[in-house]
């Protein structure tokens, strides 16, 4: 099995063989009129492929190269296969007639065996346009007028069940086998909080029908993520505006809801937006990328306790491999495309490649290769794609000609279990593609500082990775605050020990450094605040005189008012400074 990838752009729509071969596939001949292709999709197992050419929707069998069906749908812009390839769902923009009459149905469901249209619906919004199927297709659900309608065995003429709550905004059907579960979101109104509830189909009625319930404020929209085993849901609640003014991303909070009724707010150690949250395919942990830049990334277990902290870095996305044994942390969009590839079983860094200007990232179904691409209209220059090995080697690179554009690229999907998990290697695999050193962007320096030495000061303090698992003999890992307090306590203890060693009579006093200024004044205090204040002011004046002395030694002509001030200081205050060793400017004779 070799996973292929499909490309759509101004050069056409065509299929390219996957690694180790990177030649154009003969299974699907290049469709030259790529500008007319608005959408394409693979089936879940990758055996069927459907695309629109601006006139019709065509469906072919990728294995046999046979054209199965062709539908007269010139305006279709969304396509999706059901999990077992039984149905093809298509969506066209909803339109109404000029006389105000109701528009015609724009969501069609086609039987892939007969090619007939099983059912048509009116679906006005593109968002969440596609019905949701269970993996065995015994259940299908749609959100209609604040209700979730359920159909069984693809019989769309009869609504088998309804889940009705006031103003249901969104729902997500659980993956995996029966019993099926559904998570529904109802936004808050009139001071009431928003909430997410979990139900098990078809038990929707009664006050105790819900498996779990989580209420929260500050939620204009939510994103609900089931884990693969359908035992828990992560809910990212977002507001469009941050009323505190701290972020233009709005505010985000992360909530955990389990089907056994447990729920919690995931405590994120750093303030700021939540960029990404992903489940591991094992369903036992999840990774969150969050916080003001440089962002933090942390793996949490099902108790919402941190397991491993990756520290801070320029990142805003996380991608688990299909087998869940490798995690990529990346910074795309307005970041430079830096990636960190981690072995999540041993928490060891594998590689740190850089995919500059990337707008798309996808794991290959084999769990070894990575696809990054720069596509239009997000970026209209330097379009193309790269195939990486997770060890950081670029195995294949294609740059689109300057007069062309790449609009979309994606892997051919495969079912789980087709590609076995392989042991992780840390040695970069060999490649015929010459390596490119990423361009290092130098920090801006104002003209006044460009001829001066560069300082090593940093705007943000970098945090290194940290294993948060309990160590042998410890019940719980120390929190960030506890670690900080522990370091302070150790520093104070070390300072006390150093002070005791300085006062020890057996210790000989160390000689003063050669470059110590001669007018060094003792830092001990008298105990009287007024006297201490006067001593502090005298120290400032002595320091200023030392600077004048250095200027005079270099040959700089001092101003008369500077010399007079220094003479006045010595003449009137000299008797009071006899206990101090003060510098001489060598100008007393001039006065």
């Amino acid at each position: 099995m070799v996973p292929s990838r499909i490309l759509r752009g101004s050069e056409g729509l065509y299929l390219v063989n996957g690694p180790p071969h990177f030649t154009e596939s003969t299974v699907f001949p290049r469709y030259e009129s790529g500008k007319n292709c608005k959408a394409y999709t693979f089936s879940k197992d990758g055996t069927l492929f459907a695309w629109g050419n601006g006139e019709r929707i065509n469906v072919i069998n990728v294995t046999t190269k046979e054209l199965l069906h062709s539908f007269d749908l010139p305006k279709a812009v969304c396509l999706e296969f059901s999990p077992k390839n039984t149905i093809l769902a298509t969506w066209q923009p909803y339109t109404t007639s000029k006389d105000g009459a109701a528009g015609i149905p724009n969501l069609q469901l086609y039987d892939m065996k007969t090619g007939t249209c099983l059912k048509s619906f009116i679906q006005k919004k593109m968002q969440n346009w596609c019905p949701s199927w269970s993996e065995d297709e015994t259940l299908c659900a749609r959100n209609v007028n604040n209700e979730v309608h359920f159909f069984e065995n693809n019989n769309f003429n009869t609504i088998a069940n309804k889940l009705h709550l006031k103003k249901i905004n969104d729902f997500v059907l659980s993956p995996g086998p029966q019993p099926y579960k559904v998570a529904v979101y109802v936004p808050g109104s009139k001071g009431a909080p928003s909430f997410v509830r979990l139900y098990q189909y078809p038990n929707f009625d009664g006050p105790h029908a819900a498996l779990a319930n989580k209420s929260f404020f500050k939620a204009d929209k939510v994103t609900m993520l089931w884990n693969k085993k359908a035992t828990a849901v992560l809910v990212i609640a977002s507001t469009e505006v941050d009323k505190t003014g701290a972020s233009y991303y709005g505010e985000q909070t992360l909530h955990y809801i389990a089907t056994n009724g447990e729920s919690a707010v995931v405590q994120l150690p750093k303030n700021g937006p939540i960029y990404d949250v992903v489940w591991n395919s094992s369903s036992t942990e999840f990774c969150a990328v969050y916080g003001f830049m440089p962002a933090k990334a942390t793996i949490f277990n099902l108790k919402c306790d941190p397991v491993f902290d990756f520290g801070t870095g320029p990142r805003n996305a996380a991608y688990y491999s299909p087998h869940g044994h490798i995690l990529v942390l990346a910074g795309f969009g307005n970041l430079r495309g830096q990636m960190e590839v981690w072995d999540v079983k041993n928490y060891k860094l594998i590689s740190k490649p850089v995919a500059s200007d990337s707008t798309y990232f996808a794991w290959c179904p084999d769990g070894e290769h990575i696809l990054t691409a720069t596509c239009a209209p997000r970026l209209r220059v330097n379009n193309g794609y790269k195939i990486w090995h997770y060890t950081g080697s670029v195995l294949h690179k294609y740059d689109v000609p300057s007069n062309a554009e790449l609009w979309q690229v994606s892997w051919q999907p495969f079912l789980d279990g087709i590609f076995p998990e392989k042991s992780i290697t840390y040695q970069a695999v060999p490649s015929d593609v010459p390596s490119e050193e990423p361009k290092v962007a130098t920090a801006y320096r104002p003209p006044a500082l460009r001829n001066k030495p560069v300082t090593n000061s940093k705007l943000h303090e970098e945090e290194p990775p940290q294993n948060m698992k309990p160590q042998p003999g410890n019940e719980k890992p120390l929190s960030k605050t506890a670690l900080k307090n522990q370091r302070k306590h150790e520093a104070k203890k070390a300072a006390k020990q150093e002070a005791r060693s300085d006062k020890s009579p057996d210790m000989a006093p160390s000689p003063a450094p050669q470059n110590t200024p001669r007018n060094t004044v003792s830092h001990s205090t008298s105990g009287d605040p007024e006297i201490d204040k006067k001593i502090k002011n005298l120290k400032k004046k002595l320091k200023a005189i030392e600077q004048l002395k250095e200027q005079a030694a270099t040959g700089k002509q001092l101003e008369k008012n500077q010399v007079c001030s220094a003479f006045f200081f010595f003449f009137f205050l000299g008797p009071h400074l006899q206990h101090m060793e003060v510098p001489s400017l060598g100008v007393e004779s001039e006065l």
Side-chain angles (χ1 to χ4, degrees):
M1 284 288 183
V2 178
S4 302
R5 58 197 176 281
I6 193 76
L7 281 77
R8 182 177 70 91
S10 59
E11 294 183 303
L13 180 71
Y14 55 102
L15 194 68
V16 179
N17 294 320
H21 307 291
F22 301 99
T23 58
E24 188 168 339
S25 175
T26 58
V27 172
F28 179 75
R30 182 185 289 248
Y31 178 66
E32 298 293 347
S33 301
K35 293 183 179 180
N36 297 328
C37 180
K38 301 297 182 184
Y40 69 77
T41 187
F42 277 103
S43 60
K44 298 294 185 293
D45 59 2
T47 59
L48 301 182
F49 180 71
W51 79 99
N53 59 11
E55 297 178 358
R56 307 184 67 82
I57 299 296
N58 300 316
V59 183
I60 65 169
N61 187 308
V62 177
T63 305
T64 63
K65 309 178 186 179
E66 178 187 0
L67 178 64
L68 302 179
H69 302 289
S70 184
F71 306 111
D72 185 16
L73 296 169
K75 298 181 180 179
V77 293
C78 294
L79 307 172
E80 191 74 31
F81 284 101
S82 60
K84 298 183 71 174
N85 305 343
T86 306
I87 293 174
L88 173 66
T90 67
W91 184 87
Q92 304 176 86
Y94 178 74
T95 57
T96 57
S97 59
K98 295 182 179 179
D99 56 3
I104 60 175
N106 61 324
L107 169 60
Q108 282 81 26
L109 304 178
Y110 289 94
D111 188 342
M112 285 292 95
K113 289 183 179 180
T114 63
T116 59
C117 183
L118 295 177
K119 187 69 175 179
S120 296
F121 298 100
I122 292 179
Q123 176 67 34
K124 296 183 178 180
K125 296 181 179 180
M126 181 185 290
Q127 183 181 7
N128 300 327
W129 69 271
C130 187
S132 297
W133 278 275
S134 60
E135 290 186 358
D136 58 5
E137 292 192 13
T138 59
L139 195 65
C140 182
R142 289 186 68 233
N143 188 0
V144 182
N145 297 330
N146 300 326
E147 293 181 338
V148 181
H149 293 180
F150 294 89
F151 306 91
E152 295 180 352
N153 301 314
N154 288 327
N155 179 12
F156 297 98
N157 295 319
T158 303
I159 300 175
N161 215 320
K162 291 183 180 180
L163 173 56
H164 177 74
L165 290 173
K166 189 176 181 181
K167 295 183 179 180
I168 290 181
N169 183 273
D170 195 9
F171 79 96
V172 180
L173 199 61
S174 67
Q178 298 186 31
Y180 307 118
K181 307 174 188 70
V182 59
V184 295
Y185 163 61
V186 176
S189 61
K190 298 180 180 179
S194 305
F195 63 85
V196 170
R197 288 180 185 170
L198 309 185
Y199 291 92
Q200 180 172 306
Y201 183 84
N203 304 322
F204 300 143
D205 298 327
H208 304 291
L211 299 175
N213 180 79
K214 178 65 176 176
S215 301
F216 41 82
F217 291 95
K218 295 184 178 181
D220 296 330
K221 63 177 181 178
V222 303
T223 301
M224 296 176 285
L225 306 170
W226 280 99
N227 62 4
K228 194 173 182 179
K229 294 182 179 179
T231 58
V233 176
L234 290 173
V235 180
I236 307 173
S238 306
T239 59
E240 296 179 356
V241 178
D242 184 356
K243 295 183 179 179
T244 63
S247 171
Y248 60 83
Y249 289 101
E251 289 184 87
Q252 291 87 27
T253 53
L254 181 59
H255 305 268
Y256 170 87
I257 311 174
T259 54
N260 61 4
E262 296 179 354
S263 63
V265 178
V266 182
Q267 300 295 334
L268 303 177
K270 188 173 184 180
N271 295 329
I274 300 175
Y275 303 104
D276 200 7
V277 178
V278 287
W279 279 104
N280 192 320
S281 58
S282 65
S283 299
T284 59
E285 65 181 28
F286 59 92
C287 179
V289 183
Y290 58 93
F292 295 113
M293 288 294 167
K296 287 180 69 69
T298 307
I299 291 180
F300 297 87
N301 59 19
L302 295 183
K303 295 181 180 180
C304 300
D305 294 328
V307 176
F308 189 84
D309 191 324
F310 295 96
T312 57
R315 55 176 80 109
N316 54 16
Y319 307 92
Y320 275 107
S321 64
H323 303 98
H325 63 319
I326 300 176
L327 174 67
V328 175
L329 303 176
F332 296 134
N334 58 347
L335 299 177
R336 292 173 49 202
Q338 294 169 283
M339 297 186 289
E340 300 174 26
V341 185
W342 287 84
D343 175 358
V344 294
K345 291 183 179 179
N346 300 312
Y347 299 114
K348 186 176 179 181
L349 183 65
I350 302 173
S351 61
K352 294 185 68 174
V354 178
S356 302
D357 300 329
S358 295
T359 61
Y360 179 76
F361 176 101
W363 272 101
C364 179
D366 64 6
E368 281 193 272
H369 299 90
I370 293 170
L371 169 66
T372 62
T374 304
C375 301
R378 179 67 176 83
L379 284 176
R380 297 190 180 275
V381 295
N382 299 327
N383 282 189
Y385 69 90
K386 293 179 181 178
I387 305 297
W388 307 72
H389 192 265
Y390 65 79
T391 54
S393 302
V394 179
L395 304 182
H396 178 66
K397 177 184 178 183
Y398 176 70
D399 294 325
V400 175
S402 58
N403 59 346
E405 290 181 345
L406 178 65
W407 301 327
Q408 192 176 1
V409 56
S410 56
W411 290 106
Q412 177 187 5
F414 286 83
L415 296 177
D416 294 340
I418 299 296
F419 297 96
E421 178 181 340
K422 297 181 179 180
S423 58
I424 295 177
T425 177
Y426 295 90
Q427 184 68 32
V429 299
S431 173
D432 296 332
V433 180
S435 60
E436 296 180 0
E437 292 295 332
K439 296 180 180 179
V440 179
T442 58
Y444 171 78
R445 289 176 62 79
L449 299 178
R450 289 175 185 174
N451 296 325
K452 295 184 178 181
V454 179
T455 59
N456 293 325
S457 60
K458 295 183 179 180
L459 183 62
H460 303 283
E461 181 180 354
E462 295 181 357
E463 297 182 20
Q466 179 184 355
N467 196 334
M468 307 295 285
K469 283 185 177 180
Q471 301 300 320
N474 296 337
E475 295 183 359
K476 291 185 178 181
L478 292 176
S479 64
K480 184 178 178 181
T481 305
L483 285 171
K484 188 175 181 181
N485 293 335
Q486 184 181 21
R487 293 191 190 106
K488 286 184 177 180
H489 178 72
E490 292 174 353
K492 287 182 179 179
K493 187 176 180 181
K496 288 182 179 179
Q497 291 178 351
E498 186 178 354
R500 289 172 184 171
S501 62
D502 291 341
K503 293 180 180 180
S504 176
D506 299 332
M507 297 290 291
S510 58
Q514 295 295 326
N515 58 349
T516 304
R518 297 180 60 192
N519 63 326
T520 302
V521 182
S522 174
H523 291 279
S524 59
T525 59
S526 64
D528 189 335
E530 292 296 327
I531 296 177
D532 292 341
K533 186 177 179 181
K534 293 178 180 179
I535 293 176
K536 185 177 180 181
N537 292 333
L538 291 175
K539 289 179 181 179
K540 290 182 180 180
K541 293 186 179 295
L542 289 173
K543 185 177 180 180
I545 293 172
E546 180 69 20
Q547 293 176 352
L548 291 176
K549 178 184 175 183
E550 293 176 356
Q551 294 175 8
T554 58
K556 182 179 179 180
Q557 185 67 30
L558 299 180
E559 299 291 338
K560 289 187 177 181
N561 58 341
Q562 293 175 321
V563 178
C564 292
S565 298
F567 179 79
F568 177 84
F569 182 78
F570 287 119
F571 185 79
F572 290 99
L573 299 180
H576 304 284
L577 300 174
Q578 291 179 359
H579 65 285
M580 297 184 183
E581 189 176 358
V582 294
S584 174
L585 291 177
V587 295
E588 292 84 349
S589 60
E590 298 181 7
L591 297 174

